[in-house]
Amino acid sequence: MARRKAYAVAASGQWTDEEEGRRRLPAGEAHAWEPGRNETVCGLSLSRSQLVRFPHVPWTDAIPESGGAADRVRRLCPRCASVAGRAGAGARPAWRRVNPRP
């Protein structure tokens, strides 16, 4: 069985949450990013796009419906969301074959 990848967040901006001990959080447009790579899941270069990396914020916390670290995230990249998944309240269940042919 394939191991599920753990995606972090790369965003166009950042802000500091004073209530949680000055923790950096994403703002603006959020993209899924695999730590150790220099590009987002959708293929944008991190340095050329001037995206800020957030290795401590998992992708599921950047989804606005999650309420995690998504207070100032305005938009999720639709290509990244299709690859990394939208594990929120309105997410569809994974596709599954119910009655396969013999």
Side-chain angles (χ1 to χ4, degrees), residues 76-102:
L76 288 179
C77 172
R79 292 185 288 176
C80 290
S82 69
V83 173
R86 266 189 93 97
R92 289 188 287 177
W95 183 84
R96 192 170 66 95
R97 184 179 299 273
V98 177
N99 189 8
R101 294 187 305 214

Side-chain angles (χ1 to χ4, degrees), residues 1-32:
M1 184 163 195
R3 193 178 115 221
R4 189 166 171 94
K5 294 184 179 181
Y7 296 105
V9 177
S12 60
Q14 68 179 354
W15 67 286
T16 306
D17 188 11
E18 299 293 335
E19 293 176 2
E20 292 189 25
R22 299 189 48 87
R23 183 176 168 205
R24 284 184 330 118
L25 295 173
E29 183 173 0
H31 293 268

